[in-house]
Amino acid sequence: MNELVEIVSERNGVPITTSRKIAQVFGKEHKNVLRDIESIIIDDEFSRLNFELSNYKSRGKKYSEYILTK
């Protein structure tokens, strides 16, 4: 089966990808992907388990990204 979005890593045996990878694959601006993710996240167990807010560094600055499972 072809993957829609590349799995960038595994954490505890669970495949993960990032909001940056999703933006890249779909040709979208990362800030818009962040906005869309934040609009669908609600404070429940599913969101906490599948959308983890994280950070990455680029050009000496720190930026937000989400790590996603499933």
Side-chain angles (χ1 to χ4, degrees):
M1 177 179 190
N2 291 333
E3 295 297 324
L4 185 58
V5 177
E6 177 183 347
I7 303 302
V8 296
S9 184
E10 282 194 13
R11 183 180 291 164
N12 299 325
V14 177
I16 61 173
T17 194
T18 67
S19 53
R20 289 188 297 149
K21 179 54 79 174
I22 290 170
Q24 176 188 4
V25 168
F26 289 100
K28 303 293 182 183
E29 289 188 38
H30 185 238
K31 67 180 182 180
N32 294 335
V33 173
L34 288 175
R35 179 201 62 212
D36 292 344
I37 289 171
E38 289 168 354
S39 75
I40 63 170
I41 290 178
I42 55 176
D43 189 25
D44 68 356
E45 185 176 354
F46 177 83
S47 294
R48 285 190 300 275
L49 293 174
N50 296 292
F51 297 92
E52 178 185 338
L53 186 58
S54 185
N55 294 297
Y56 69 98
K57 288 186 180 179
S58 179
R59 298 181 304 267
K61 292 178 75 178
K62 194 173 175 181
Y63 298 94
S64 294
E65 72 175 344
Y66 279 94
I67 297 173
L68 295 88
T69 62
K70 296 192 181 186

